Amino acid sequence: SNLTLTNVTIADNATGDTGDGIYYPEANVTVVNCILWNEINDNSTSSPLNIQYSNIQGGFEGEGNISADPLFTGPDNGDYTLQAGSPCIDAGTADTDGDGTDDITDYFGPTPDMGAYEYECDEGYDCAGECGGNAVADCAGECGGTAVEDACGVCGGSGSTCNISYFETIQPIFTANCTGCHGGSGGLYLTSYT
């Protein structure tokens, strides 16, 4: 049989025997985007383990795995949400089965978090997906880009020559501001513009 754990937090767990974290004999166990932390005994199982993009205290070989204090908000009070600055934020994967297609689509930031609780950034995300970051998109829409609008309003333009449409730009301004003082009522038009 197979057991798959995705975005699960197992912390401060004790059975009084072996396998305080995961103990599921005679099964292929897959663990993705999980946190196994502060187990009294060990996180072992007699079954084959495939652990990826998870925070395992003491470490575990596998793609994207880390071993770092998850910075739980209040574990002494049973609050296993993540604090700002947790290494588990944006450290998971959306492609949980490795087939190249995202299996998780509802998350904050550039990638899902590790653990059961997705961190919600109160400061907002910048264009690079960084919580509280200051990266901005330039006028071309490139995050962190340097393109700016020139005096003519052209993104990345040189500002040396502005092509202004007389009928779309100049005449409406003239009509709105000059017809009252020149005695016309919508019928006054400029005949040339240079």
Side-chain angles (χ1 to χ4, degrees), residues 166-177:
Y166 166 75
F167 286 106
E168 292 177 11
T169 305
I170 303 299
Q171 185 62 51
I173 294 171
F174 184 76
T175 301
N177 296 303

Side-chain angles (χ1 to χ4, degrees), residues 154-179:
V154 177
C155 181
S158 65
S160 60
T161 305
C162 296
N163 294 325
I164 299 174
S165 166
Y166 166 75
F167 286 106
E168 292 177 11
T169 305
I170 303 299
Q171 185 62 51
I173 294 171
F174 184 76
T175 301
N177 296 303
C178 299
T179 55

Side-chain angles (χ1 to χ4, degrees), residues 26-40:
E26 302 175 18
N28 294 317
V29 179
T30 300
V31 176
V32 182
N33 295 348
C34 293
I35 301 172
L36 277 77
W37 202 260
N38 203 22
E39 307 308 316
I40 305 304

Side-chain angles (χ1 to χ4, degrees), residues 64-158:
N65 289 341
I66 62 173
S67 176
D69 184 344
L71 299 178
F72 293 128
T73 301
D76 292 340
N77 299 319
D79 184 355
Y80 292 96
T81 59
L82 303 174
Q83 294 182 48
S86 168
C88 299
I89 296 171
D90 299 332
T93 180
D95 180 13
T96 60
D97 58 10
D99 67 356
T101 302
D102 287 353
D103 303 296
I104 300 173
T105 57
D106 186 19
Y107 54 88
F108 303 106
T111 60
D113 298 341
M114 294 175 177
Y117 304 102
E118 186 75 14
Y119 178 76
E120 294 187 47
C121 176
D122 293 332
E123 302 86 43
Y125 290 92
D126 66 9
C127 62
E130 179 88 17
C131 174
N134 59 7
V136 294
D138 64 10
C139 61
E142 182 179 337
C143 184
T146 58
V148 295
E149 284 189 6
D150 65 10
C152 302
V154 177
C155 181
S158 65

